[in-house]
Amino acid sequence: MSNDEDVRPGIALTSRHLSLRGAPVIPVSGELHYSRVPRHRWAERLRQMRAGGVTVVASYVFWLHHVERRGEPRFDGNLDVRAFVDEVRAAGLDMVLRIGPWCHGESRNGGFPDWVQQAPVTHRTDDPAYLPLVEEWFGQLAAALGRPELLGIQLENELYDQPGHLVTLKRLARAAGLSAPLWTATAWGGADLPEDEVLPLYGGYGDGFWVDADAPWDPTFRDHYFFSHVWDDPGIGADVRRLHEARLGTPQPRTPSPLFPPATCELSGGMGTAYHRRPWPRALDVATIAHCKIGNGSAWQGYYMYAGGTNPPHTQESHATGYPNDMQRLGYDFHAPIGEAGLLGESHAALRRQHAFLAAFGDRLAEMPSTLPSVRPNGVDDTETLRYALRSDGDSGFLFIAWHQPHFPLPTYRQAQFQVSLGPRALTLPPVDIPAGTIACWPLRLAVGEVHLDWATASVLTVLPGEIPTLVLVASAGIDVSCSVDGVESVVTPGFQPIRLAPALDLLALPAEAADSVWVDSRRRLLLSDDELRWGPDGRIEAVGTGVPSVRVYNGSGFVPLPFHPGPAGFEVAAEFEEVRPAAGTVPVAYGKFEGRQSAPTPETFDELAAVYRLAVPPVTPELDVFLHIEWAGDVGELRVDGRPVTDRFWDGSPWTVNLRDVHWRPGSVLTLHLLPLAAGSTVSLPHEAHQRLLAADAQLLDLTSVRVLARQCFVERTEP
């Protein structure tokens, strides 16, 4: 264990896996910052996370948000951390609190209140003048929390050269009354950690806002699209690590300690947006990294962020606070699976299929180490060598294939054929072409009930219970589905009805085009819907959308409609808008620099140069959630309600959605959209499509293409009395 002082029955940690409630598991944790989400949305976000396959909620506790002025801690409203932890537990999820005291998370001073940042102390060390400040904060936090049932507590964040300080922080937290069976710390960047005190956690991002605007796609990002047993990512936090690197003694190992399983807390759920660099990772980018980590032997899938949010005013990092990146003042969408507005991002579907697999087979997978092939890519520039890995216990296993990366497209890999020795004989799979964009998890000698499936060339999703169990696979585009049982091969046509593969096993192979419509609920029911689905501990499905929901549930022989209670339907209409003030005829190419990176315009400059549009929202009944869907191009956008900024965005080509209820819009409120043009000569880094659009502009780019109003209703599953 990473802690022998707060042992809890039913929770154990080995060098290979975590056990919860006495069974091996591969947890899926998702980061949601309660202080960045309205309190009335907590339960809803947790249902959305649960529907995505998340089993553990992680959250920073930002000292800055809670104690702006010394001696005046606040734990009310959406700062009520105790109520949030209670909500997490009520949702049937476990909780990890990342208590700092330094958190980062793009928060000003890394989360230190200004009065702490300005104190004459050596921060983040055992300085006797600093520790009483931490002790005071931990005491306030512990008093507010009571004694919640936490799965884990993270100490500090991205602390690389102070192992003794981490031990001190643990002692101070425990003395204040904080406890958890797992104490963790971030291990990336060659961190020197106290080996017997904390569980090392790693991360992996395929791109980052923290590198220079003109920097190419860095090898530290590219690494994550390959299978590897190297877990350290030296790129994460590099923007604030430079001061520490000179103090680090000997280089630290980049692979996990043999005492602990490889585990993560910051896999890319998306990516934040800085003014100078604006990555937009797509669903397949995010899913490929997560898939590779599972193939690499991950014992814990942890995402940052899983749900976006909105900063409290004046709390973001910026050039003005000495941070090398200017961040959005309010918006913290992070292109997450659940966006700032509460709408699902495109990555939600891609990740939830992986999480359904972990829910069904995690107890087996946890006992299976990862093996890499003898012939592997010779570096991050290799686009010819197929990327794959095996997780196996020697008798059965899963073959992981990842053949995707952004920025540098991969060709179709021709005639891949795998031979794997497991159990009594070698398995030889048929040769197949692997199209670019393929991520797959194929079963090998998989036991389902009384049947052993030798292999299949489609990804495992789940097993549906029943007198005769149903193994559910999802086909990959461009790859024929075939399988073998007891040496007898069969070709399977994907569809929505099962086939009897053996007397005691049905097989349902879903077509690739249905993959993003697939949901597996907490009762292990298989559902198909293009609407958003979510559920709580009672298991009842909620379908959310702008129209009457269309949800089908598998009944053993096919899919039938799932009944819902009637209710008023939502709608989607174009919003009227008028330009009340044009943008400046010429905007600067740059607004200044800090440490060589472009600075965002000041609020005063923004107000002087931005175009202003007044938006009209049609009448909406109170029970409907109301969203703006904004298609635009430019530089910086800001939405205001009655003159007050409520959220903002740096343009990167992606749509912008805003939940009007959450920004305190009410009928009769004055709603204005402020858009700053982007100069054609700007050197900010944009995704390829956005960059091409900027290149096509004459002098500057500004376009408000459309504004649509989405009014969404929630329909609840009708159950028999």
Side-chain angles (χ1 to χ4, degrees):
M1 292 289 289
S2 59
N3 167 46
D4 59 6
E5 299 162 318
D6 303 311
V7 175
R8 186 175 302 156
I11 300 178
L13 184 69
T14 73
S15 61
R16 186 170 293 174
H17 62 74
L18 181 72
S19 291
L20 293 180
R21 292 166 275 279
V25 296
I26 297 181
V28 177
S29 61
E31 190 92 7
L32 180 157
H33 297 154
Y34 61 90
S35 57
R36 282 171 162 157
V37 174
R39 181 170 180 160
H40 68 275
R41 295 292 181 188
W42 288 349
E44 176 184 299
R45 292 291 185 277
L46 295 172
R47 289 195 297 273
Q48 292 174 302
M49 295 176 80
R50 185 179 175 122
V54 170
T55 61
V56 180
V57 177
S59 180
Y60 281 135
V61 183
F62 292 108
W63 193 357
L64 168 66
H65 293 183
H66 286 278
V67 195
E68 184 178 355
R69 290 177 291 275
R70 189 172 190 179
E72 300 179 24
R74 288 188 52 203
F75 294 96
D76 59 325
N78 68 328
L79 296 175
D80 190 340
V81 61
R82 180 173 184 169
F84 177 71
V85 173
D86 289 344
E87 197 81 67
V88 170
R89 298 297 299 171
L93 302 169
D94 287 308
M95 181 81 229
V96 173
L97 281 181
R98 308 173 80 185
I99 65 171
W102 191 89
C103 294
H104 199 196
E106 291 69 65
S107 182
R108 188 173 79 245
N109 311 325
F112 284 153
D114 290 344
W115 59 270
V116 174
Q117 180 74 4
Q118 295 161 7
V121 301
T122 305
H123 299 86
R124 308 176 70 190
T125 70
D126 278 355
D127 180 354
Y130 171 65
L131 294 181
L133 303 180
V134 176
E135 192 171 18
E136 179 181 311
W137 162 233
F138 282 176
Q140 292 165 340
L141 176 59
L145 279 168
R147 290 196 171 271
E149 189 174 315
L150 302 175
L151 176 61
I153 294 175
Q154 178 184 304
L155 297 166
E156 252 281 345
N157 189 55
E158 298 175 349
L159 189 64
Y160 306 101
D161 59 348
Q162 297 286 323
H165 182 54
L166 289 173
V167 176
T168 300
L169 291 177
K170 183 177 175 182
R171 175 180 59 78
L172 291 177
R174 294 191 74 256
L178 298 168
S179 68
L182 294 175
W183 293 79
T184 74
T186 54
W188 53 77
D192 185 5
L193 302 180
E195 189 170 70
D196 297 327
E197 298 284 351
V198 293
L199 169 64
L201 296 179
Y202 295 88
Y205 294 96
D207 209 333
F209 63 78
W210 50 81
V211 298
D212 291 338
D214 59 354
W217 192 31
D218 193 89
T220 63
F221 300 140
R222 302 179 70 165
D223 267 344
H224 298 295
Y225 293 92
F226 294 78
F227 293 102
S228 167
H229 291 163
V230 175
W231 286 82
D232 180 36
D233 183 338
I236 305 177
D239 50 345
V240 294
R241 192 167 61 243
R242 288 168 293 179
L243 296 177
H244 298 270
E245 287 176 337
R247 298 207 306 263
L248 282 171
T250 58
Q252 298 298 306
R254 297 188 62 208
T255 54
S257 160
L259 295 176
F260 299 110
T264 60
C265 64
E266 286 200 21
L267 295 180
S268 172
M271 180 46 57
T273 309
Y275 182 77
H276 76 284
R277 188 175 178 94
R278 309 176 186 186
W280 178 16
R282 311 311 293 267
L284 190 56
D285 304 338
V286 169
T288 302
I289 292 174
H291 181 77
C292 285
K293 297 309 178 190
I294 299 173
N296 293 347
S298 173
W300 187 320
Q301 293 285 98
Y303 298 95
Y304 189 101
M305 294 288 296
Y306 192 85
T310 307
N311 292 318
H314 314 299
T315 61
Q316 93 290 352
E317 289 275 31
S318 66
H319 288 174
T321 65
Y323 186 55
N325 310 305
D326 252 346
M327 308 302 294
Q328 293 167 159
R329 287 192 289 274
L330 295 168
Y332 199 70
D333 177 83
F334 219 83
H335 296 299
I338 304 168
E340 175 187 8
L343 297 183
L344 300 189
E346 58 180 9
S347 59
H348 192 277
L351 290 177
R352 70 173 179 259
R353 294 194 299 275
Q354 297 179 13
H355 303 159
F357 162 71
L358 293 178
F361 298 100
D363 57 340
R364 306 187 206 186
L365 195 68
E367 301 277 10
M368 295 178 174
S370 169
T371 301
L372 303 178
S374 56
V375 178
R376 299 172 55 203
N378 58 21
V380 295
D381 295 316
D382 187 338
T383 59
E384 302 296 326
T385 306
L386 191 62
R387 306 167 189 178
Y388 61 98
L390 173 71
R391 286 190 70 167
S392 167
D393 58 9
D395 185 64
S396 63
F398 299 92
L399 180 67
F400 293 83
I401 303 168
W403 196 234
H404 167 74
Q405 65 183 23
H407 308 304
F408 295 91
L410 300 173
T412 296
Y413 189 92
R414 301 293 179 184
Q415 295 297 285
Q417 187 168 28
F418 299 94
Q419 187 177 76
V420 185
S421 295
L422 288 174
R425 60 187 176 86
L427 304 175
T428 302
L429 281 63
V432 295
D433 290 346
I434 308 291
T438 298
I439 55 174
C441 173
W442 294 351
L444 302 172
R445 284 189 50 80
L446 178 65
V448 184
E450 301 173 1
V451 179
H452 274 82
L453 178 71
D454 297 329
W455 50 261
T457 57
S459 292
V460 189
L461 180 74
T462 191
V463 173
L464 305 178
E467 185 176 342
I468 296 178
T470 302
L471 176 65
V472 184
L473 307 177
V474 180
S476 296
I479 298 179
D480 292 336
V481 179
S482 57
C483 62
S484 170
V485 176
D486 294 330
V488 179
E489 297 185 19
S490 304
V491 175
V492 179
T493 301
F496 301 99
Q497 286 80 39
I499 63 171
R500 183 60 48 86
L501 194 62
L505 179 63
D506 283 348
L507 178 70
L508 178 63
L510 296 171
E513 56 269 23
D516 286 350
S517 302
V518 171
W519 305 76
V520 181
D521 74 1
S522 54
R523 297 188 227 173
R524 199 67 66 82
R525 291 186 297 177
L526 181 65
L527 305 122
L528 293 176
S529 181
D530 292 329
D531 293 306
E532 177 189 337
L533 306 184
R534 56 195 187 214
W535 51 85
D538 65 359
R540 283 201 305 172
I541 301 296
E542 299 173 357
V544 187
T546 56
V548 177
S550 173
V551 184
R552 293 180 293 156
V553 60
Y554 183 75
N555 68 355
S557 59
F559 288 86
V560 297
L562 190 71
F564 287 87
H565 290 289
F571 59 84
E572 180 176 349
V573 298
E576 296 182 1
F577 59 87
E578 61 172 330
E579 185 182 71
V580 296
R581 195 190 73 186
T586 302
V587 295
V589 171
Y591 297 92
K593 289 187 175 182
F594 179 75
E595 296 189 356
R597 296 181 177 179
Q598 296 93 324
S599 298
T602 64
E604 295 76 17
T605 299
F606 177 83
D607 282 344
E608 177 186 348
L609 302 177
V612 181
Y613 304 86
R614 182 162 181 167
L615 310 181
V617 178
V620 182
T621 55
E623 64 267 27
L624 297 179
D625 240 350
V626 192
F627 298 83
L628 286 183
H629 182 92
I630 304 167
E631 297 279 357
W632 69 294
D635 188 8
V636 181
E638 189 173 277
L639 188 71
R640 298 181 185 179
V641 175
D642 294 328
R644 179 176 60 88
V646 292
T647 189
D648 56 0
R649 192 87 163 196
F650 296 152
W651 180 70
D652 57 14
S654 64
W656 182 13
T657 57
V658 180
N659 188 311
L660 289 180
R661 303 286 192 202
D662 291 352
V663 299
H664 305 294
W665 168 87
R666 298 292 181 268
S669 297
V670 176
L671 189 63
T672 54
L673 181 63
H674 303 244
L675 301 180
L676 179 70
L678 182 61
S682 173
T683 57
V684 300
S685 175
L686 295 168
H688 176 73
E689 295 84 354
H691 181 66
Q692 293 301 115
R693 189 168 179 183
L694 179 62
L695 290 178
D698 291 330
Q700 59 190 38
L701 175 62
L702 178 63
D703 180 33
L704 180 55
T705 308
S706 69
V707 181
R708 299 192 66 79
V709 175
L710 283 63
R712 303 205 317 159
Q713 174 64 298
C714 178
F715 292 80
V716 179
E717 178 185 359
R718 187 172 71 241
T719 57
E720 296 300 327

